[in-house]
Amino acid sequence: MKILLTGANGYIGRRLLPALLEAGHEVTCLVRDRRRFLDAGTPSSTEGDIPRERVHVIEGDLLDSSSLATIPDDLDAAYYLVHSMGSSSQAFPELERRSAANFAAAMKQRDCRRIIYLSGISNADNLSTHLASRHEVESILASESRVPVTVLRAAIIIGSGSASFEIIRDLVEKLPVMIAPKWLRTRCQPIAIRNVIDYLVGVLGNNQTIGRSFDIGGPDILTYQQMLLGYAAERGLKRSIIPVPFLTPRLSSYWLYFVTSTSFPLARSLVDSMKNEVICAETTIRDLIPLELIPYRAAVARAFGKIEQGLIPSSWTDALSSGSMESRFLDHIRVPGHGVLTDRREVEFERDPDEVRRNLWKIGGDNGWYAMDWAWRLRGAIDKVFGGTGLRRGRRHPTELRTGDALDFWRVLVADAKSGRLVLFAEMKLPGEAWLEWQILADPERPAGHLLRQTATFRPSGLAGRLYWYSISPLHTLVFEGMARAIVERRIGEQVDQSGEVS
């Protein structure tokens, strides 16, 4: 079949694409920036071999209807896997409406047999803003596209890298005793990411699913408290939860934001949704597409199996809304050279350049920043207080980096292992813009033969930006000099934390 996949760079899209290709389909991926697409550079080892002849990449922004002209005219199916819930904008329902309307208008002009949309279970009367928006998107796609729509409505998705799983993980791993709001008693029906992908692929080959909506969930119906304690039991941790009635939705949002790796807009949307029970009202899909549904604790165990093996193909932080950057963030790749303040460090070395490159590629997350980690943690805490991302996003994989990855409060712009070049762009709260760049260079004229060049670049915004830079300049000698030397000198295996887990 000829398939259009929107959201190909997202959490679900990155996992669905290999499954569609394995099933023999030809896939056109609609992305906002082709440079960020997983096939645009060197594939991660977690992605396997991509059959390039069956993957086509087109650029388009669903908020800009004129950019969708390149969508193919002849399609067997189109997956709609985009949403704006994590956006920093308070008007994400309007963004959802615009995106859905533009997509529906584009599909109306094309020969497409069906649209497949992954939505949220919305069986309650008083829906949260998030679930109401998802339900409205279903209506827009069905009424304005004139294409039959298959809707799969899921509750919490459990899998390595999913926002829900990472929030549960943060809460249980970090808090032996949790003072938690009353919404922990709300029931839901979590589903394993493996089953979600199976359903998304399965409906393609079943004509009885065309034009219909289905609730999809796992075999367990649990409260959020039971999910937290079930995670703790699976991990062999003793945890206590004390529900309290006085945490308002806003206070609950701040609680999630400061304790976990989530952004505040996402925390606010999730807390708002937790007032609604998300349980399958009907299970017809189980008869049409029989699957072995994975229980909650088994899904947690599978997720950690992936984490421990370093096989995490996607994370919720892949979405740019997990930070503060605009969609075409790769336009920042060319680090500016004028109107900026810089700190450059160069360290000569004789050892194998690939060893230095491996040290560099491990930077951040649980591996730390090689020098004065307490200062980086303090900067992350300050960033959280001022509404930034903080350090808790960690990294997707303990040793691999790819373009678009979130890396603590940075975003990876360039991760060229072959040339030994790594460029990060700051997503922390700053009075300006900041880049960190490393280059591993061969230099026969130097006695050591090789050189690590580390450059911190800051483009200040007005006087406040300059005052910020000069006020922290005394720390640069300690932090940046120590970091560059440690990257060069540290021997493989000397890192304090070699667990391989991703925070």
Side-chain angles (χ1 to χ4, degrees):
M1 293 185 181
K2 294 181 179 180
I3 309 297
L4 175 68
L5 178 60
T6 67
N9 277 329
Y11 176 71
I12 299 294
R14 282 186 184 269
R15 296 176 186 238
L16 180 58
L17 176 58
L20 292 173
L21 295 172
E22 185 178 349
H25 301 298
E26 182 179 343
V27 185
T28 297
C29 297
L30 176 66
V31 297
R32 285 182 292 183
D33 193 328
R34 68 168 57 244
R35 294 171 295 181
R36 193 176 160 238
F37 181 64
L38 61 85
D39 192 36
T42 304
S44 162
S45 64
T46 60
E47 290 153 5
D49 295 326
I50 300 294
R52 298 167 186 261
E53 70 278 1
R54 288 194 283 115
V55 179
H56 313 284
V57 184
I58 58 174
E59 286 189 345
D61 184 346
L62 290 170
L63 292 173
D64 178 8
S65 58
S66 64
S67 71
L68 305 181
T70 55
I71 293 177
D73 292 325
D74 183 20
L75 294 167
D76 292 295
Y79 284 93
Y80 189 77
L81 301 177
V82 295
H83 64 87
S84 307
M85 186 178 74
S87 170
S88 58
S89 171
Q90 296 182 358
F92 79 83
E94 175 58 28
L95 299 179
E96 297 273 73
R97 280 191 288 271
R98 283 173 52 197
S99 294
N102 288 339
F103 182 75
M107 290 299 99
K108 185 178 179 181
Q109 300 171 17
R110 287 160 175 80
D111 182 15
C112 181
R113 290 189 60 204
R114 67 192 304 185
I115 293 171
I116 300 169
Y117 173 49
L118 181 61
S119 184
I121 293 178
S122 52
N123 297 320
D125 293 328
N126 183 25
L127 292 176
S128 66
T129 303
H130 160 52
L131 291 176
S133 177
R134 289 290 184 94
H135 190 69
E136 185 179 11
V137 168
E138 296 177 20
S139 301
I140 292 172
L141 295 177
S143 62
E144 298 185 19
S145 69
R146 296 185 182 177
V147 176
V149 179
T150 299
V151 180
L152 298 179
R153 297 172 175 153
I156 283 183
I157 296 175
I158 302 299
S160 58
S162 81
S164 301
F165 175 79
E166 294 302 332
I167 287 172
I168 292 170
R169 183 183 178 190
D170 277 346
L171 290 173
V172 178
E173 299 280 355
K174 296 173 181 176
L175 301 176
V177 178
M178 284 173 266
I179 299 176
K182 60 183 180 181
W183 46 255
L184 281 186
R185 301 190 186 101
T186 304
R187 297 186 304 163
C188 65
Q189 196 164 351
I191 182 170
I193 181 63
R194 179 68 264 167
N195 288 152
V196 174
I197 299 302
D198 288 341
Y199 277 131
L200 285 168
V201 176
V203 295
L204 276 178
N206 194 316
N207 289 335
Q208 295 182 66
T209 63
I210 296 178
R212 298 175 63 182
S213 298
F214 303 95
D215 292 347
I216 59 173
D220 302 317
I221 296 176
L222 305 168
T223 65
Y224 290 108
Q225 178 168 328
Q226 289 173 324
M227 291 174 63
L228 291 170
L229 294 177
Y231 176 101
E234 190 62 37
R235 295 286 289 157
L237 302 171
K238 291 185 178 180
R239 294 294 183 260
S240 298
I241 298 176
I242 306 173
V244 294
F246 53 79
L247 282 182
T248 65
R250 188 167 187 84
L251 285 176
S252 295
S253 300
Y254 280 115
W255 179 69
L256 277 186
Y257 170 62
F258 283 110
V259 173
T260 73
S261 58
T262 186
S263 63
F264 182 72
L266 182 57
R268 183 174 54 194
S269 296
L270 290 172
V271 168
D272 186 36
S273 298
M274 285 173 177
K275 69 183 181 184
N276 296 129
E277 288 198 339
V278 280
I279 299 171
C280 298
E282 52 80 34
T283 56
T284 309
I285 191 72
R286 297 185 184 182
D287 297 324
L288 297 176
I289 304 175
L291 296 178
E292 182 180 347
L293 295 176
I294 302 170
Y296 171 70
R297 283 188 58 174
V300 171
R302 286 172 63 97
F304 265 95
K306 296 290 187 183
I307 292 169
E308 288 165 359
Q309 296 174 58
L311 301 175
I312 307 175
S314 64
S315 167
W316 73 274
T317 59
D318 292 334
L320 295 183
S321 55
S322 73
S324 59
M325 296 193 71
E326 71 280 8
S327 62
R328 296 194 67 85
F329 74 96
L330 287 173
D331 291 340
H332 292 273
I333 284 178
R334 190 180 295 272
V335 180
H338 300 285
V340 298
L341 302 167
T342 60
D343 181 283
R344 174 168 289 179
R345 309 283 166 167
E346 294 184 346
V347 181
E348 297 181 28
F349 62 92
E350 296 179 346
R351 65 186 301 192
D352 184 349
D354 195 51
E355 292 182 0
V356 175
R357 200 275 308 166
R358 288 201 296 271
N359 277 344
L360 177 57
W361 253 241
K362 290 180 180 179
I363 199 165
D366 287 343
N367 299 322
W369 288 83
Y370 290 102
M372 297 181 67
D373 266 356
W374 64 267
W376 290 96
R377 290 194 294 271
L378 176 62
R379 183 62 180 87
I382 294 172
D383 195 51
K384 274 279 190 180
V385 169
F386 286 92
T389 61
L391 288 178
R392 290 198 180 104
R393 290 187 309 183
R395 46 182 296 153
R396 176 188 57 84
H397 189 280
T399 61
E400 293 180 356
L401 291 174
R402 67 185 178 202
T403 299
D405 273 358
L407 180 58
D408 290 333
F409 43 44
W410 302 88
R411 182 72 64 171
V412 178
L413 298 184
V414 177
D416 188 343
K418 186 175 295 186
S419 69
R421 182 174 182 239
L422 178 65
V423 182
L424 309 180
F425 183 84
E427 290 191 318
M428 68 192 84
K429 295 292 184 179
L430 287 170
E433 296 175 316
W435 293 258
L436 260 179
E437 180 178 9
W438 292 268
Q439 294 173 285
I440 298 174
L441 305 170
D443 192 345
E445 296 183 2
R446 294 177 183 257
H450 293 91
L451 174 74
L452 174 71
R453 177 175 294 157
Q454 173 186 285
T455 308
T457 303
F458 183 67
R459 181 159 58 192
S461 178
L463 179 61
R466 293 183 177 276
L467 290 174
Y468 169 82
W469 175 265
Y470 290 116
S471 68
I472 64 172
S473 287
L475 282 173
H476 288 172
T477 299
L478 298 174
V479 175
F480 290 145
E481 181 69 21
M483 182 167 62
R485 291 201 172 277
I487 291 171
V488 166
E489 296 172 359
R490 184 163 298 176
R491 296 297 166 182
I492 302 300
E494 285 184 351
Q495 284 81 349
V496 174
D497 184 356
Q498 287 295 306
S499 65
E501 292 185 5
V502 182
S503 62

